[in-house]
């Protein structure tokens, strides 16, 4: 692909004299009408206010590949304070890097970030880490601080061009996942980047570039140095992605799987290991089938605890002899306690799972045997249908059955109807500082009083 060259300011020290490839509209597939309407509103308001605005990251990547983007993120040379003045329906989030979220009807959010410069390219020393403050920069500097080449592209709304500093378009054309810069250095600075490499390879079906793949295998153990909650959130994204099977296969090939889930180590050796891997992949296939409806009018929502329970299922079945184990009374309570303790030790503590979620995981796993033996005798008994956990546990058992080759999961049981909640109200600084008190929650109406005879909670509004 050809494109005219445009000289830009020098980038990081390791990438001096970088020239951007500017690809005109006639040479790329992205068209303005494909962009989200609200994203266009933000981009044109930035332009009209004298700022530069670019569609960035996954939005450009997906549009180039002919896919519908999940998010339309925007970068600009406007500072966060200027963005807040420009978009009154917005708020600022983030500590290390401040982003501005612009709200629209139907809970739609467009995230706008200021172009940044500070990255490991700008600092010396292997152990030196990034400072916690914003450092604003140029378009070129922002490109080099991004993780993957295919996510470091910019779409300029005024001229309808794609701006590429690091060969992202070439890698899109070739189907390659490549780190920006030295993968060894970048994985050492932030090991979570390894999960992003695997995620995008799984979702796009692209191959991982040789040097990046070698660095994945070399540094996978460093994932254990990351905050547990951060790893948990990243894994959850992959379980919800609709490409969880491909993600798991790549994790096993690159050595990330034992680094993420060491409790599987002793069970994934020899013939038994092949069986466990097959069971895991079968479960992820079921989850992917469910999430395939995500873009439809009524998307699927699989509860997070159910996703984590599915991840633990082959391990739990082997460890606790599920679902064949059939216990009642004290035996059931004893098994519940053992499962709770082992789940907490293997998964709850390492992934910083909240107590309520751990209880839900235990309930799902221990009742696998309950449903197994109940359905072996026919339909679920009435006493089981009356249990508070019946809905989630029955859906979980359906996933288990389908992973064993018995079609059981009805997608409709996971469907969440769309709801238009209207405009999201954001309190502006002027409203916050005008000295008027503002009732919370119900538009200023105090729910403790009522004009009815009995009132609410026994309280009636006093008469004048």
């Amino acid at each position: 692909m050809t494109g005219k060259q445009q000289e830009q300011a020098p980038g990081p020290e390791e990438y001096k004299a970088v020239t951007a490839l500017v690809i005109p509209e006639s040479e790329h597939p992205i068209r303005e009408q494909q962009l989200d309407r609200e994203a266009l509103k933000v981009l044109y308001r930035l332009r009209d206010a004298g700022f530069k605005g670019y569609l960035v990251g996954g939005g450009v990547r997906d549009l180039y590949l002919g896919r519908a983007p999940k998010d339309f993120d925007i970068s600009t040379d406007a500072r966060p304070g200027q963005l807040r003045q420009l978009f009154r329906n917005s708020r600022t989030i983030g500590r290390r890097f401040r982003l501005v979220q612009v709200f629209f009807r139907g809970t739609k959010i467009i995230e706008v970030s200021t172009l940044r410069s500070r990255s490991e390219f700008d600092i010396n020393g292997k152990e030196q880490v990034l400072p916690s403050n914003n450092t604003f920069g140029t378009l070129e500097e922002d490109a080099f601080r991004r993780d993957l080449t295919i996510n470091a592209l910019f779409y300029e709304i005024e001229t309808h061009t794609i701006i590429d500093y690091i060969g992202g378009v070439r890698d899109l054309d070739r189907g390659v996942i490549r780190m920006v810069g030295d993968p060894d250095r970048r994985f050492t600075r932030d090991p979570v980047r390894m999960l992003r490499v695997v995620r995008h390879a799984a979702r796009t079906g692209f191959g991982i570039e040789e040097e990046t793949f070698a660095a994945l295998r070399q540094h996978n153990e460093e994932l254990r140095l990351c905050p547990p909650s951060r790893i948990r959130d990243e894994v959850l994204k992959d379980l919800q992605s609709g490409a969880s099977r491909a993600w798991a296969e790549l994790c096993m090939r690159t050595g990330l799987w034992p680094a993420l889930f060491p409790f599987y180590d002793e069970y994934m050796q020899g013939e038994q290991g092949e069986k466990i891997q097959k069971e895991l992949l079968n479960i992820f296939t079921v989850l992917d089938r469910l999430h395939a409806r995500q873009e439809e009018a009524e998307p699927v929502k699989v509860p997070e605890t159910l996703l984590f329970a599915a991840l633990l299922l082959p391990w739990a079945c082997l460890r606790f002899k599920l679902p064949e184990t059939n216990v009642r009374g004290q035996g059931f309570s004893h098994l519940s306690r053992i499962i709770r303790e082992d789940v907490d030790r293997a998964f709850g503590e390492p992934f910083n799972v909240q107590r309520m979620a751990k209880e839900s995981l235990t309930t799902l796993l221990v009742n696998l045997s309950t449903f197994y033996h109940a359905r072996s005798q026919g339909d679920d008994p009435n006493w089981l249908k009356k249990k508070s956990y019946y809905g989630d546990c029955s859906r979980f058992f359906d996933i288990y059955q389908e992973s064993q080759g018995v079609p059981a999961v009805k997608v409709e049981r996971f469907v969440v109807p769309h709801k238009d909640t209207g405009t999201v109200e954001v309190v502006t600084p002027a409203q916050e500082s005008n000295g008027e008190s503002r009732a919370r929650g119900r538009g200023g109406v105090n729910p403790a009083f009522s004009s009815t005879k009995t009132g609410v909670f026994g309280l009636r509004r006093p008469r004048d």
Side-chain angles (χ1 to χ4, degrees):
M1 177 176 289
T2 62
K4 64 180 180 180
Q5 303 292 315
Q6 176 175 309
E7 294 293 338
Q8 299 287 339
E13 184 178 351
E14 298 182 10
Y15 294 89
K16 293 181 179 179
V18 174
T19 302
L21 178 67
V22 181
I23 304 172
E25 185 177 24
S26 60
E27 298 179 14
H28 68 74
I30 301 177
R31 297 296 177 264
E32 181 179 321
Q33 55 267 31
Q34 295 175 287
L35 272 66
D36 181 86
R37 182 177 61 180
E38 283 74 23
L40 285 173
K41 288 180 181 178
V42 172
L43 287 168
Y44 280 119
R45 183 174 294 186
L46 286 169
R47 181 202 64 181
D48 294 343
F51 298 109
K52 285 286 189 179
Y54 307 90
L55 181 68
V56 297
V60 182
R61 178 199 66 226
D62 290 341
L63 288 173
Y64 189 91
L65 295 174
R67 302 177 179 180
K70 182 179 179 182
D71 301 302
F72 288 84
D73 295 333
I74 292 171
S75 284
T76 178
D77 55 355
R79 304 297 173 90
Q82 295 171 318
L83 292 170
R84 288 286 284 116
Q85 292 180 350
L86 193 59
F87 300 99
R88 304 298 288 180
N89 56 323
S90 67
R91 69 176 179 185
T92 304
I93 63 170
R95 293 183 179 179
R96 179 175 171 184
F97 299 119
R98 297 171 63 198
L99 302 175
V100 173
Q101 291 183 328
V102 184
F103 296 87
F104 295 92
R105 289 183 60 87
T107 69
K108 174 69 72 65
I109 297 176
I110 301 295
E111 288 194 348
V112 186
S113 62
T114 302
L115 296 170
R116 303 193 294 261
S117 68
R118 187 71 171 169
S119 76
E120 53 262 50
F121 292 118
D122 305 312
I123 58 181
N124 298 315
K126 182 178 180 180
E127 304 302 326
Q128 197 172 353
V129 298
L130 301 182
S132 59
N133 61 306
N134 277 294
T135 306
F136 304 120
T138 64
L139 197 64
E140 177 184 2
E141 291 168 335
D142 191 86
F144 279 105
R145 68 166 300 109
R146 295 180 180 270
D147 293 342
L148 304 177
T149 59
I150 63 172
N151 291 339
L153 300 171
F154 305 90
Y155 178 76
E156 207 279 312
I157 192 66
E158 190 69 21
T159 59
H160 304 135
T161 57
I162 294 177
I163 302 174
D164 179 9
Y165 284 94
I166 48 183
V169 169
R170 176 194 60 202
D171 286 340
L172 282 174
D173 290 337
R174 296 178 179 179
V176 174
I177 301 295
R178 186 193 312 270
M179 283 298 299
V180 176
D182 178 12
D184 289 305
R185 185 177 188 181
R186 304 212 73 189
F187 290 159
T188 299
R189 293 296 171 88
D190 187 0
V192 169
R193 287 172 174 148
M194 291 184 280
L195 297 181
R196 295 175 187 154
V197 168
V198 172
R199 174 180 305 139
H200 287 290
R203 292 185 182 184
T204 60
F206 287 5
I208 301 175
E209 180 263 337
E210 183 178 349
E211 186 178 357
T212 302
F213 188 88
L216 283 175
R217 296 189 62 85
Q218 180 180 349
H219 296 280
N220 55 64
E221 290 295 325
E222 295 175 22
L223 277 175
R224 299 180 182 180
L225 303 176
C226 298
S229 58
R230 193 175 177 208
I231 297 295
R232 179 200 63 221
D233 293 344
E234 293 292 325
V235 169
L236 185 60
K237 292 177 185 177
D238 292 307
L239 295 178
Q240 297 170 328
S241 68
S244 60
R245 179 186 176 110
W247 164 78
E249 289 176 326
L250 283 170
C251 284
M252 294 172 189
R253 282 177 50 205
T254 57
L256 292 182
W257 186 270
L260 287 168
F261 315 112
F263 55 90
Y264 265 110
D265 279 356
E266 61 180 296
Y267 301 107
M268 298 190 74
Q269 308 299 326
E271 294 183 2
Q272 176 181 267
E274 294 179 3
K275 181 175 181 293
I276 292 292
Q277 288 186 34
K278 183 178 179 180
E279 290 179 355
L280 278 166
L281 297 180
N282 287 342
I283 289 169
F284 292 139
T285 300
V286 178
L287 296 180
D288 290 345
R289 184 174 75 82
L290 289 172
H291 287 112
R293 284 176 52 118
Q294 197 67 34
E295 298 300 328
E296 296 189 8
E298 294 183 330
V300 161
K301 175 65 175 179
V302 181
E304 294 180 6
T305 52
L306 199 150
L307 291 172
F308 286 140
L311 175 67
L312 296 170
L313 188 51
W315 167 81
C317 286
L318 197 59
R319 189 173 184 85
F320 308 113
K321 297 181 174 57
L322 301 176
E324 293 80 7
T325 297
N326 189 10
V327 291
R328 291 289 182 269
Q330 291 184 352
F332 185 85
S333 299
H334 179 67
L335 178 61
S336 296
R337 184 172 64 254
I338 293 175
I339 292 178
R340 184 183 298 108
E341 292 174 353
D342 282 9
V343 166
D344 189 29
R345 185 182 308 110
F347 188 76
E349 292 181 0
F351 283 82
N352 195 23
V353 178
Q354 295 181 354
R355 180 177 178 180
M356 288 294 292
K358 288 185 288 189
E359 291 296 330
S360 297
L361 287 174
T362 302
T363 300
L364 290 169
L365 293 172
V366 74
N367 280 291
L368 195 71
S369 62
T370 303
F371 280 82
Y372 177 80
H373 291 285
R375 293 190 181 180
S376 66
Q377 300 175 10
D379 194 13
D380 298 338
N382 289 331
W383 67 265
L384 184 57
K385 293 179 180 179
K386 294 178 181 179
K387 296 294 184 180
S388 60
Y389 55 74
Y390 176 78
D392 283 343
C393 287
S394 62
R395 291 190 294 175
F396 181 60
F397 185 74
D398 287 345
I399 290 176
Y400 165 77
Q401 277 195 305
E402 186 158 320
S403 72
Q404 299 296 307
V406 180
V409 178
K410 296 180 179 179
V411 180
E412 292 74 17
R413 298 189 67 193
F414 294 89
V415 164
V416 179
H418 273 314
K419 293 182 180 180
D420 187 354
T421 58
T423 304
V424 176
E425 179 180 0
V426 179
V427 179
T428 64
Q431 291 173 316
E432 293 175 348
S433 61
N434 63 4
E436 297 179 4
S437 61
R438 185 180 180 88
R440 297 180 179 179
R442 299 192 179 218
V445 178
N446 190 334
F449 296 95
S450 172
S451 59
T452 62
K453 185 175 181 180
T454 57
V456 180
F457 307 122
L459 301 175
R460 288 180 292 173
R461 186 181 302 278
R463 296 180 179 178
D464 295 334

